[in-house]
Amino acid sequence: MRPDTPAEHTAEAERLIRTATRYPEDQEPLLLQAAAHLELADARERASALYDQLLSASPANPHLIKALQAANLWEYGHEAEARALISGIRAAAPTDPAPWEVIAEALESHDELEASHECFTEAATLLTSEDTPLTHATTALLTGRHRVRRLLALPHDDWDMVADTRHTGPIPLDELHDPKRIWALGSNDPAELRAEIARLRAELGDRRAALSRPFPVAILHWPARELSELLTSYPTLATEYPTREAHLKSVESSLRALSASGTTNLGIVTGSVPSYEAFAASEKTSPASPALLPEYATTLAARGKATPWPPTPTAPCWCTSGKPYTECHGAEEA
């Protein structure tokens, strides 16, 4: 069960901090998850201390950490420091979409709509082009920009049209982002109220999913050599992996089923027998237990080991065949 109360978020943060101590090579993603849980528990000063700790250690993603720190600081009264961090990130023009989205949404949440629109537009200009396929992350930037432009009553432009066409939710994006949506909660028309409740549920579902799942929902993939070693060492797992081909097919079909059910932020984590055995030892559980496999996958995802799924059509397939995804496991999509 995902954390839902401040106490549960604090407990999860403590677990992640302990795990970061055991796995120093994965400290950055683990402490970022811990800081997110501390923010949700309203322990913002502790979250800020974790961000400072990460920034003092030459992190791999300094712009993202600074963006998260800025958003957190602004929420508990340190506006000047937050603005300084945001200005520094914009000047640095990072090529990662994540820090742009964080600072633009921080500005939006504090009614700095013009500045938020400028951030989203700067990011879109920097990170999207006709030659660059849109990813989930860059699509999220265009979606955020679409929302802010609706709040500013700006007319649709080409990027807004792209955001509209990429949106897959049950409620059209224009409707979700309509700033005039029923101030009608005072309406006496039951149909209007039901429609507004449906829109709010759609928005809330997206937000809750983003907050409660800060790392991908990941499916475990075993390369051929690792799978052979795993089954030789633990034959009882053959019920989970009858053949290499069945395993690969199961990975792709599981991810497609999750995607079809509306689950976003999907990924693949690659297992290795030594890593799996070390995880089993830390959990005081036998590696032969099939129930340990999904826990192992989730832990790898929390440690930042997931590769986003699906790959772009021309990218190498996740199965390591060397073929483009669209000519390998992606070919089944057609």
Side-chain angles (χ1 to χ4, degrees), residues 142-199:
L142 297 184
T143 300
R145 182 178 179 275
H146 182 289
R147 181 181 61 250
V148 172
R149 287 175 64 80
R150 292 285 278 152
L151 291 170
L152 290 168
L154 296 173
H156 266 36
D157 63 7
D158 290 344
W159 278 330
D160 289 327
M161 296 300 294
V162 172
D164 282 330
T165 57
R166 297 277 295 189
H167 178 66
T168 58
I171 309 295
L173 204 56
D174 262 352
E175 190 174 343
L176 279 179
H177 293 168
D178 184 355
K180 298 177 183 176
R181 268 182 8 197
I182 310 193
W183 303 114
L185 280 179
S187 169
N188 292 321
D189 184 341
E192 286 186 342
L193 291 173
R194 280 194 296 270
E196 180 62 8
I197 289 168
R199 287 188 287 261

Side-chain angles (χ1 to χ4, degrees), residues 63-83:
H63 297 303
L64 175 58
I65 297 168
K66 288 178 182 179
L68 293 167
Q69 175 72 300
N72 181 55
L73 286 169
W74 204 333
E75 288 299 322
Y76 76 106
H78 296 270
E79 179 181 340
E81 293 175 59
R83 287 184 181 278

Side-chain angles (χ1 to χ4, degrees), residues 57-268:
S58 301
N61 298 295
H63 297 303
L64 175 58
I65 297 168
K66 288 178 182 179
L68 293 167
Q69 175 72 300
N72 181 55
L73 286 169
W74 204 333
E75 288 299 322
Y76 76 106
H78 296 270
E79 179 181 340
E81 293 175 59
R83 287 184 181 278
L85 284 168
I86 289 171
S87 295
I89 293 165
R90 292 177 68 176
T95 56
D96 176 11
W100 286 106
E101 185 175 12
V102 172
I103 63 174
E105 289 190 348
L107 289 162
E108 178 189 358
S109 69
H110 291 279
D111 295 323
E112 301 275 348
L113 296 181
E114 293 286 355
S116 176
H117 179 249
E118 289 172 7
C119 269
F120 276 125
T121 302
E122 286 172 22
T125 303
L126 179 68
L127 302 177
T128 66
S129 71
E130 293 182 1
D131 301 325
T132 306
L134 281 175
T135 64
H136 288 300
T138 50
T139 298
L141 287 174
L142 297 184
T143 300
R145 182 178 179 275
H146 182 289
R147 181 181 61 250
V148 172
R149 287 175 64 80
R150 292 285 278 152
L151 291 170
L152 290 168
L154 296 173
H156 266 36
D157 63 7
D158 290 344
W159 278 330
D160 289 327
M161 296 300 294
V162 172
D164 282 330
T165 57
R166 297 277 295 189
H167 178 66
T168 58
I171 309 295
L173 204 56
D174 262 352
E175 190 174 343
L176 279 179
H177 293 168
D178 184 355
K180 298 177 183 176
R181 268 182 8 197
I182 310 193
W183 303 114
L185 280 179
S187 169
N188 292 321
D189 184 341
E192 286 186 342
L193 291 173
R194 280 194 296 270
E196 180 62 8
I197 289 168
R199 287 188 287 261
L200 289 170
R201 280 178 174 163
E203 286 183 312
L204 181 60
D206 289 344
R207 282 291 177 185
R208 284 179 66 86
L211 290 172
S212 63
R213 191 176 64 247
F215 49 84
V217 171
I219 301 297
L220 181 60
H221 163 236
W222 295 94
R225 181 178 298 178
E226 296 293 336
L227 182 60
S228 176
E229 182 179 343
L230 181 76
L231 296 179
T232 300
S233 301
Y234 309 105
T236 57
L237 295 181
T239 56
E240 298 292 317
Y241 308 117
T243 66
R244 164 77 173 158
E245 292 70 22
H247 169 50
L248 297 180
K249 185 174 181 179
S250 174
V251 171
E252 183 73 17
S253 61
S254 296
L255 287 163
R256 292 194 184 191
L258 286 167
S259 180
S261 71
T263 304
T264 57
N265 195 18
L266 297 171
I268 294 175

